[in-house]
Amino acid sequence: RVNIPYSLEVGMDWNSFASDMASEIQNSKDVLEASKFAVGTGTDEPFGVVTGATTVFTAAGTNALVTADLYGVHDALPPLYRSRAVWTLNNAVLSKVRQLDTAGGSAMFTPNLQLRSAANVGGPGAPDMTDSRTNVDLFGKAVHEASGQSGTFTTGQLIGVIGAFDPYYTIVDRVGLSIVDAGYAQDATTGFPTGQKFMLAYWRVGAKVVAANAFRTLKLA
């Protein structure tokens, strides 16, 4: 939910106030869901994929990431799920991975030709698409930026997930977002309205890892 307090004067003088706030509400929703779909507890909020992907591959080094760790977590995913797997990485982790193979000899990263081709003609894979896909693959698996996952390189951090999100991470979203006038604020002493109102936006969504074994999470030692 999103709550926006505003004065009576704003409501009277800013004719487009409600519609202008729509973009702010959408931004708040996107940021909140990015966090909860990654690390949500599952109690009165979505169950994050990092929370549910409890099968962990621990990196070899301490507070560091090396190429062998990426191969290790990739190989740890059972073959049953590997063909449908994708990666989710915070951009800071993705940047670190790019620096591991500056010569390109191991061919960890390869261009996602489908996305690049579509981007050239303004199709579904154009750069302004909103499904978080990057235009590269890692070990032949699509890479998605996940801003809600950790990008911190310290002991114990869970910094990346590989797995078959479809169909083993399920999001149930009740379509639609409601915006209502939530009434006036009241002075705690007098009980009279203070001249401030509230706009309340709310929506319903849940998520859960259906099979933990369909994922592997990379953990720093």
Side-chain angles (χ1 to χ4, degrees), residues 55-58 66-87 108 137-143 160-163 213-218:
T55 306
V56 172
F57 178 88
T58 303
V66 298
T67 304
D69 297 328
L70 296 172
Y71 281 99
V73 69
H74 176 267
D75 293 345
L77 188 68
L80 175 63
Y81 309 110
R82 203 177 300 147
S83 63
R84 306 183 69 174
V86 300
W87 298 85
M108 291 193 304
D137 292 341
L138 178 58
F139 300 140
K141 309 297 189 299
V143 178
V161 176
I162 181 174
N213 198 42
F215 301 88
R216 290 295 181 274
T217 301
L218 180 58

Side-chain angles (χ1 to χ4, degrees), residues 80-101:
L80 175 63
Y81 309 110
R82 203 177 300 147
S83 63
R84 306 183 69 174
V86 300
W87 298 85
T88 56
L89 303 168
N90 183 286
N91 188 63
V93 179
L94 184 58
S95 295
K96 184 69 173 179
V97 173
R98 291 179 184 274
Q99 298 173 56
L100 294 177
D101 180 28

Side-chain angles (χ1 to χ4, degrees), residues 101-114:
D101 180 28
T102 56
S106 65
M108 291 193 304
F109 276 118
T110 54
N112 188 312
L113 298 180
Q114 181 179 5

Side-chain angles (χ1 to χ4, degrees), residues 40-208:
T41 65
T43 302
D44 297 328
E45 63 184 22
F47 199 86
V49 66
V50 176
T51 308
T54 53
T55 306
V56 172
F57 178 88
T58 303
T62 302
N63 300 342
L65 179 67
V66 298
T67 304
D69 297 328
L70 296 172
Y71 281 99
V73 69
H74 176 267
D75 293 345
L77 188 68
L80 175 63
Y81 309 110
R82 203 177 300 147
S83 63
R84 306 183 69 174
V86 300
W87 298 85
T88 56
L89 303 168
N90 183 286
N91 188 63
V93 179
L94 184 58
S95 295
K96 184 69 173 179
V97 173
R98 291 179 184 274
Q99 298 173 56
L100 294 177
D101 180 28
T102 56
S106 65
M108 291 193 304
F109 276 118
T110 54
N112 188 312
L113 298 180
Q114 181 179 5
L115 288 183
R116 290 193 174 187
S117 175
N120 288 337
V121 296
D128 61 349
M129 65 190 306
T130 59
D131 71 353
S132 77
R133 278 181 292 177
T134 65
N135 63 359
V136 294
D137 292 341
L138 178 58
F139 300 140
K141 309 297 189 299
V143 178
H144 293 251
E145 181 183 344
S147 60
Q149 291 181 199
S150 176
T152 304
F153 290 86
T154 56
T155 297
Q157 291 293 315
L158 304 172
I159 62 169
V161 176
I162 181 174
F165 283 75
D166 181 12
Y168 298 107
Y169 184 66
T170 300
I171 297 174
V172 179
D173 198 351
R174 189 181 191 280
V175 176
L177 179 148
S178 300
I179 300 177
V180 298
D181 181 341
Y184 295 90
Q186 288 184 314
D187 186 280
T189 302
T190 66
F192 284 101
T194 64
Q196 185 180 57
K197 296 190 69 176
F198 297 97
M199 176 187 296
L200 176 66
Y202 60 92
W203 65 98
R204 291 170 56 197
V205 61
K208 188 172 178 63

